[in-house]
Each structure stands twice: as C-alpha cells, then as structure tokens.
Amino acid sequence: MSTFDAEPSSAAPTGKGPVTLPRDLRLNPGEEAVYLLRTHPKVLFLPAVTWLILAAAAVACYMFVPRGMLDGWLYLGLQAVTCALTLHYAAWPILQWWKKVYIVTTKQLIIREGVLYKKSISSQLARVSDIHVDRGILDRIFRCGTLVIINAANGEASQSSKRVIFSDVPHALKVEQTLKDMVYHNNHTASMPGVSTY
C-alpha cells in the first residue's frame, strides 16, 4: 500500500508567504516555491567557537607578546597563519552552510550547494514514493531533523530507489507533512481523467 493512500490534512499546502529564491533559479510556468530551507544553525556552533578562539589568540598575540621577541616577518607570518586557519575552519564552513539550500516547489525538490563550484540536484515531486524523518535527541531539542525522500522509478521503492536527503532542516515534521500533502494532491490530481499535473 502506498504511503500516500490516506487522505491528508490539506489538499494543496503552501508556505506562509512568498519564498525568496536565488536570483539565478528559474521555475517552470505554473510552478510555485513552497519552502527554501537550510540546515539548522546548530551546525555553526563549532565554526563560531573556532572563530572566537582564533580571534582571541590573535588579539592575545598582538597584546601580550613583546615585539622584540618576534622578528617582524615572523610576527606577520603568525598573523597570516591565524587568518588562514580562521578562514579554513570558521569562515569557510559558515559560507558553505549559507550557500547550501533545499528548495521545495509544487513540482520538484531542489538541492543547491557550492561556493566556488556550484552544484544543483533536482527531483520530480511526482516520483516520490516515501518520506520519513530521522531525529536524534539534539534534533528533538532543536525541533529539526533529516528528511529522507525516496524517489523510485515506476513508483516502486526498490533497489533502484534514489534518495533525496534534506539534512537537519528546521521544523522537519511540519515540512514532512507538507510534502506528503503535496504528493497526495499531485497523485490524486494525476489519477483524475482528463487532468494533468504539468
């Protein structure tokens, strides 16, 4: 039996307000954006702490290490190393987090990521056969979770299934229910004689 046989709470859910999409993303005619999601900001805790530690080390080096103990070039080299470490372990992860987005539209699921090299993955909503949420203890505390969306050719979740994963998105249970409602609505509309979902 299909995951979407039961009647959902709403036929065609939409977001609370207009969704601001990346400027280079173009949707198909009649397609609307429902969600634009990012991984929960909890993943920024470690980069933020690293940034603070490295910044504190740089300030301490500047204030408490006598200039006479360090050669001019050595002092500049230490500062350069500190800046490089800050960029690599703090600024870069934050930038990667900001540039990775999960987009849900009325027709497809899109994952876009990359800072210098950009990558985009899309999957048709009509091919979704199952959706579930993985949540750990911290996820329950922060009200987030990982959405696992299974797409299968011929509508069957078999070995040829392809998974689309939205990692640690906020309000995962609400997003899951919205997706299930949308899939049910698309499948129900497609099964009606003379009605097309595209």
Side-chain angles (χ1 to χ4, degrees):
M1 189 173 77
S2 171
T3 309
F4 310 104
D5 285 343
E7 186 175 354
S9 57
S10 60
T14 58
K16 290 183 178 181
V19 178
T20 303
L21 296 175
R23 280 182 281 182
D24 58 339
L25 179 63
R26 297 290 181 268
L27 300 181
N28 298 319
E31 184 178 11
E32 296 181 3
V34 179
Y35 284 113
L36 187 143
L37 306 165
R38 287 185 175 86
T39 301
H40 194 279
K42 69 177 184 177
V43 299
L44 301 179
F45 177 76
L46 187 58
V49 171
T50 303
W51 197 329
L52 291 174
I53 292 174
L54 290 173
V59 172
C61 181
Y62 178 80
M63 293 181 61
F64 299 111
V65 177
R67 293 295 181 91
M69 291 181 59
L70 297 176
D71 181 75
W73 287 106
L74 180 58
Y75 184 82
L76 292 176
L78 287 174
Q79 294 292 337
V81 169
T82 303
C83 289
L85 291 174
T86 301
L87 289 174
H88 181 72
Y89 291 105
W92 186 253
I94 293 174
L95 191 57
Q96 285 182 312
W97 169 81
W98 181 255
K99 286 296 184 179
K100 184 171 184 176
V101 293
Y102 307 104
I103 301 169
V104 178
T105 76
T106 51
K107 300 296 183 183
Q108 59 183 324
L109 308 169
I110 305 170
I111 301 176
R112 291 169 65 93
E113 60 183 326
V115 180
L116 301 178
Y117 173 76
K118 298 182 181 297
K119 182 172 68 173
S120 181
I121 301 172
S122 63
S123 181
Q124 295 299 316
L125 197 64
R127 296 183 60 190
V128 172
S129 61
D130 191 21
I131 304 170
H132 65 268
V133 178
D134 293 335
R135 302 174 76 203
I137 296 177
L138 284 178
D139 296 331
R140 294 174 185 271
I141 295 174
F142 289 105
R143 300 176 63 187
C144 62
T146 296
L147 276 166
V148 181
I149 304 156
I150 299 177
N151 289 352
N154 302 321
E156 297 180 359
S158 62
Q159 293 181 352
S160 61
S161 299
K162 179 181 178 182
R163 294 188 173 191
V164 178
I165 297 177
F166 287 9
S167 300
D168 278 339
V169 294
H171 307 290
L173 295 179
K174 179 180 178 181
V175 177
E176 178 198 25
Q177 186 58 53
T178 301
L179 283 173
K180 286 183 176 180
D181 290 352
M182 291 170 62
V183 172
Y184 176 89
H185 175 70
N186 285 349
N187 291 345
H188 180 69
T189 304
S191 64
M192 295 174 62
V195 177
S196 173
T197 57
Y198 297 97

